[in-house]
Amino acid sequence: VRVENISERGCQVWIPRRAGLPPGKSIVLYIEEVGPFPATVRWSRDGWIGIEFDLPVYAPVLDHLSVRHAPED
C-alpha cells in the first residue's frame, strides 16, 4: 500500500487490487506506526482510493506523516 496526498481530512492510497473497498465503505487506516484513523472510502479508480478521515488529523501527526510520505523528486 502506498499513501500520497495526505492532509488533515484525508489521503490517497494505492491498493493494486482495490481489496473490496467501494465508495462509502467505513475503514480504519494505520499509516506505518500511526493510527488508528477511522475513515470512509470516497472514490476509487485504477487502484487508487480516496480516503476521508472521520476526524481531522492532529497537526503534529500530520507534519510527521507529511514528511514521511512526501513525493519523491
Side-chain angles (χ1 to χ4, degrees):
V1 174
R2 189 169 80 202
V3 177
E4 293 188 359
N5 299 331
I6 191 163
S7 72
E8 72 175 15
R9 295 299 301 165
C11 63
Q12 181 174 308
V13 179
W14 167 254
I15 301 177
R17 293 189 180 96
R18 286 189 47 203
L21 296 173
K25 174 106 174 143
S26 294
I27 63 169
V28 177
L29 184 66
Y30 288 83
I31 303 172
E32 297 178 19
E33 70 283 352
V34 183
F37 299 105
T40 302
V41 175
R42 290 297 174 204
W43 56 266
S44 63
R45 182 176 49 251
D46 300 326
W48 288 102
I49 296 173
I51 306 290
E52 180 182 7
F53 302 130
D54 290 352
L55 299 171
V57 175
Y58 183 58
V61 173
L62 180 60
D63 290 344
H64 169 77
L65 293 173
S66 295
V67 169
R68 304 272 301 170
H69 295 277
E72 297 178 12
D73 292 330

